[in-house]
Amino acid sequence: MLGNFSYCNATKLYFGDDSLKYLNDELPKYGKNVQLIYGGGSIKKNGIYDAVVSILRANDKNIIEDAGVMPNPTVEKLNEGVRIARENNVDLLLAVGGGSCCDYAKAVSVSVYCEDDPWQKYFIRFEEPNCKIIPVGCVLTMAGTGSEMNGGAVITNHRENKKIGHVFGEEVMPKFSILNPKFTYSLPKRQMVAGIYDIFNHICEQYFSGTDDNTSDYLAEALMKSVIHSSLIAIENQEDYEARSNIMWSATWALNTLIAKGKTTDWMVHMLGQAVGAYTDATHGMTLSAVSLPYYRYIMPYGLAKFKRFAIQVWGVEAKGKSDEQVAAEGLTAMENWMKKIGLAMNISELGATADMIEGIADKTFILTGGYKILTKDEVINILKQSL
Ligand code: NZQ
Ligand code: ZN
């Protein structure tokens, strides 16, 4: 049974291989000073930078460069972005990149007029913004996080070994996002599959909670099937437009708040993965894949009916003549085979985690209560040990 909720998604999307031209429709809505946010330079190699800059110039904007947003953006970079925005009286933050650039733009957007320390206020005390927020727009170049249509921003503080996400409300969501699947063609294969698993796991995190009959779960199953199907095509041909566009669209719907409606949601794989990320700075999607199977196998008995449903509906496991445990376990084996086939990291050692880090990683793992099993610290440690 669905509970009571309100639903609003504030982001306007432009999707397709001609979608960048709609930047011309959006730019006139904002002032002259545009902070152009991007990462380590991929957009200069694949031509997206030139295309965006020429549209900004045609619209008579002042371009304020803000390059070098790293994967897993840091608190130091956030402070730099805030300084750039303040010095230039910025009117629009335009992120051109993956989730890291989009997340970073949102974190800057709530921090420029904030009198407090943003890390402390938003990522330690989880307070909401009470200052002016600079609008954000995104041109997405990597499918995975869903950051293009949500209020999430994840920031890493290496000094404190913390990687923390704050999910802001609709006033922080991008005002618009441009999704051109062809922009994702130049992604290295490892990044592409990391993004694919990020999408898949976002869906799992919402699906593996609750025991009621909920439309969100049917939507989740359909999205998972689409991601699995398209991933197998994309690993053979990274320029298959149909597959890359389905992956991009699924990513957006996997985490734009829709399929969380009526769900308590789990998010423990993300809590474990983020803590691993804080210690290793590894690629986000890979930190998730590396801890997933030990976690799901451990909680399976506590959510058996849903794991059985997952096996049958998502993986096509034949249930006849088998116990519920057998069916559920076969579903996770099918998932494991798919993960290996597309080339995901299957343990945290290959991401640089070592046995002596386990205690620290466990300490930095937030324990959430929405899933089938509320973990104890010892259980977190055991799952991390099995993930090594
Ligand atoms: O920096 P550049 O040169 O752009 O290279 C990037 C980066 O090295 C590269 N890349 C992106 N698009 C490319 C490309 N290379 C070639 N061609 C392209 N078209 O890919 C690398 C990874 O990019 P990044 O933006 O870091 O990846 P992703 O989209 O996975 O974002 C990861 C960040 O998002 C956070 C993660 O924790 C992590 O910090 N998340 C945000 C969420 C949200 N807002 O809701 C939820 C997620 O669970 C996640 O936690
Ligand atoms: Zn994620």
Side-chain angles (χ1 to χ4, degrees):
M1 189 190 71
L2 283 175
N4 304 339
F5 57 82
S6 71
Y7 180 69
C8 171
N9 194 299
T11 306
K12 178 159 187 175
L13 296 178
Y14 298 95
F15 190 95
D17 61 359
D18 70 344
S19 51
L20 188 62
K21 71 179 185 212
Y22 296 104
L23 190 53
N24 287 301
D25 293 358
E26 290 295 330
L27 289 175
K29 299 177 188 170
Y30 305 97
K32 212 170 161 55
N33 298 331
V34 178
Q35 187 159 331
L36 178 58
I37 291 168
Y38 57 99
S42 68
I43 64 164
K44 290 204 166 162
K45 289 195 201 116
N46 58 24
I48 299 170
Y49 175 87
D50 288 343
V52 168
V53 164
S54 88
I55 295 176
L56 286 167
R57 289 207 179 115
N59 284 273
D60 202 24
K61 298 294 180 187
N62 290 334
I63 301 172
I64 296 118
E65 291 261 338
D66 182 4
V69 178
M70 61 293 284
N72 313 318
T74 61
V75 69
E76 290 80 11
K77 180 62 190 162
L78 167 60
N79 293 336
E80 182 184 294
V82 169
R83 181 183 52 73
I84 295 171
R86 282 180 182 158
E87 284 173 6
N88 294 282
N89 201 15
V90 159
D91 300 301
L92 173 70
L93 298 159
L94 183 63
V96 185
S100 293
C101 288
C102 299
D103 276 21
Y104 165 83
K106 284 180 258 178
V108 172
S109 79
V110 293
S111 303
V112 176
Y113 291 95
C114 172
E115 286 170 5
D116 222 325
D117 173 55
W119 170 254
Q120 289 295 329
K121 180 178 171 72
Y122 299 126
F123 299 95
I124 298 295
R125 298 200 301 273
F126 290 105
E127 290 171 14
E128 294 309 317
N130 48 6
C131 60
K132 179 178 161 185
I133 298 167
I134 300 183
V136 169
C138 294
V139 177
L140 195 66
T141 66
M142 161 154 181
T145 64
S147 187
E148 66 276 12
M149 205 186 194
N150 69 37
V154 183
I155 296 294
T156 298
N157 186 325
H158 288 297
R159 248 182 317 114
E160 297 178 14
N161 279 330
K162 286 180 180 160
K163 180 177 183 185
I164 299 178
H166 185 135
V167 182
F168 294 99
E170 63 201 53
E171 69 286 359
V172 184
M173 290 181 183
K175 299 293 174 234
F176 64 90
S177 284
I178 290 171
L179 277 57
N180 180 344
K182 287 189 176 164
F183 286 179
T184 67
Y185 284 178
S186 55
L187 266 174
K189 198 171 195 176
R190 187 181 154 82
Q191 290 292 344
M192 177 185 78
V193 298
I196 288 170
Y197 190 72
D198 194 20
I199 304 167
F200 189 82
N201 190 255
H202 291 158
I203 307 169
C204 291
E205 300 276 29
Q206 298 163 89
Y207 182 75
F208 287 118
S209 65
T211 52
D212 54 342
D213 184 36
N214 187 324
T215 302
S216 294
D217 289 335
Y218 298 86
L219 294 171
E221 286 163 355
L223 285 170
M224 286 193 270
K225 284 200 262 194
S226 173
V227 173
I228 296 162
H229 177 75
S230 297
S231 70
L232 295 172
I233 298 168
I235 54 162
E236 295 302 329
N237 176 12
Q238 283 189 232
E239 301 204 355
D240 185 301
Y241 184 78
E242 192 171 62
R244 296 308 288 269
S245 54
N246 283 326
I247 290 167
M248 198 170 210
W249 193 223
S250 307
T252 305
W253 285 95
L255 197 53
N256 69 357
T257 76
L258 178 77
I259 64 167
K261 294 302 160 199
K263 306 288 301 177
T264 51
T265 72
D266 182 343
W267 292 108
M268 275 314 297
V269 168
H270 270 69
M271 295 305 103
L272 290 156
Q274 276 178 205
V276 170
Y279 275 76
T280 60
D281 205 26
T283 301
H284 172 65
M286 296 300 186
T287 64
L288 308 176
S289 61
V291 299
S292 280
L293 286 160
Y295 175 70
Y296 287 130
R297 290 198 164 114
Y298 184 71
I299 65 158
M300 191 187 89
Y302 302 92
L304 189 59
K306 184 54 85 51
F307 280 93
K308 180 184 175 189
R309 175 173 164 172
F310 175 67
I312 295 168
Q313 298 300 333
V314 179
W315 298 103
V317 171
E318 175 56 66
K320 220 168 148 214
K322 295 173 193 160
S323 69
D324 290 355
E325 286 79 5
Q326 238 175 323
V327 176
E330 279 183 31
L332 290 178
T333 303
M335 176 173 153
E336 181 173 10
N337 292 339
W338 167 70
M339 291 168 73
K340 287 180 175 160
K341 185 164 186 180
I342 66 171
L344 291 162
M346 300 305 286
N347 59 66
I348 59 175
S349 307
E350 52 183 297
L351 304 177
T354 49
D356 61 317
M357 290 180 187
I358 297 293
E359 277 282 337
I361 296 174
D363 261 344
K364 297 289 160 54
T365 303
F366 287 95
I367 294 178
L368 304 180
T369 57
Y372 291 122
K373 170 78 177 79
I374 302 174
L375 298 180
T376 63
K377 171 94 181 291
D378 285 345
E379 288 169 329
V380 169
I381 290 175
N382 279 338
I383 289 164
L384 288 168
K385 281 185 179 160
Q386 282 168 36
S387 306
L388 268 173

